[in-house]
Amino acid sequence: MKISRGQLQEIVRRITESDSYIGDLQDHVNYLYETGAIVDALEVRFSSGQVMLTRDVNGDEDTVGEFYSQEEFYSGEPLDDFRTVLNLERECEEAYIEVRDEFPGAGLEVINYAMLHDDDLWGKGIGKLAYQQLIHDAGKDGNVIVPHWCSHGGTTSGQARRLWDKLRSGYQTTGPILIPDNLNL
């Protein structure tokens, strides 16, 4: 569905001014629905490391968005165990070692999967808020977070990489690693 320039500007303003995430994500998709920027009402559900967006289709639940992260290296583990636990791309491995020097005990979480299945939902700030929730959850659990391409053999779409690069400007970073504002050590 096409949205007006004014609606898009309001969407961008709302996202930019956002301090919290999951409540804002539900409010945000409600706003998009109420203004006609998206066709269907969506329900947002989450648990630590998971954000799901669903819609009702004739009484059946249809998943339209899925975002998952997983803790890969646990906070508090000795760093010398690191190489035996993970198989990271070199750039990410070096960045994580730097992070552990600055934040001893920080764990590592990887975004394993992020997808909005309905391309009418793309470009409306939904993915950004879902990623921010995963980042917040990682910090609460004592973890820093990286995109899937950091895992050896992992992939990240061009669209997800562009979003990750935009998110980097709002967080402390070391290489590709985002350090959540709420990192709980």
Side-chain angles (χ1 to χ4, degrees):
M1 165 168 275
K2 203 94 163 125
I3 60 174
S4 72
R5 182 181 204 83
Q7 286 174 315
L8 184 58
Q9 288 172 335
E10 176 62 13
I11 290 166
V12 169
R13 183 194 66 74
R14 287 170 54 88
I15 294 168
T16 304
E17 294 176 1
S18 175
D19 289 330
S20 61
Y21 308 108
I22 202 66
D24 287 338
L25 180 53
Q26 185 65 66
D27 289 347
H28 183 66
V29 296
N30 292 346
Y31 172 80
L32 292 172
Y33 176 67
E34 290 163 7
T35 60
I38 61 175
V39 176
D40 298 307
L42 302 178
E43 179 183 352
V44 178
R45 288 182 295 198
F46 74 100
S47 59
S48 189
Q50 176 180 336
V51 177
M52 300 284 291
L53 293 102
T54 60
R55 65 178 161 209
D56 181 62
V57 178
N58 300 323
D60 291 327
E61 187 176 274
D62 179 34
T63 300
V64 296
E66 302 171 84
F67 300 82
Y68 301 100
S69 63
Q70 182 175 348
E71 191 171 41
E72 295 291 338
F73 188 73
Y74 306 102
S75 55
E77 284 189 79
L79 194 54
D80 55 349
D81 291 343
F82 171 63
R83 284 190 179 86
T84 62
V85 174
L86 287 179
N87 191 8
L88 288 182
E89 295 296 331
R90 184 94 177 132
E91 173 187 1
C92 302
E93 179 181 309
E94 290 171 357
Y96 183 59
I97 290 169
E98 278 184 52
V99 165
R100 284 291 295 254
D101 286 344
E102 187 173 347
F103 300 98
L108 182 71
E109 197 152 321
V110 177
I111 294 181
N112 290 343
Y113 186 78
M115 175 63 76
L116 284 172
H117 303 292
D118 183 342
D119 59 2
D120 286 339
L121 301 176
W122 296 358
K124 295 180 171 78
I126 297 169
K128 178 180 179 183
L129 287 169
Y131 267 71
Q132 287 176 317
Q133 182 62 44
L134 294 179
I135 294 165
H136 178 79
D137 289 347
K140 185 177 62 181
D141 294 337
N143 299 321
V144 297
I145 193 163
V146 296
H148 194 237
W149 67 262
C150 274
S151 296
H152 185 69
T155 60
T156 302
S157 71
Q159 186 177 14
R161 276 185 184 250
R162 286 188 296 278
L163 177 55
W164 191 260
D165 290 342
K166 287 178 188 175
L167 286 168
R168 289 171 47 82
S169 67
Y171 294 90
Q172 180 180 347
T173 61
T174 300
I177 296 175
L178 294 184
I179 301 162
D181 298 334
N182 66 329
L183 184 59
N184 181 25
L185 297 176

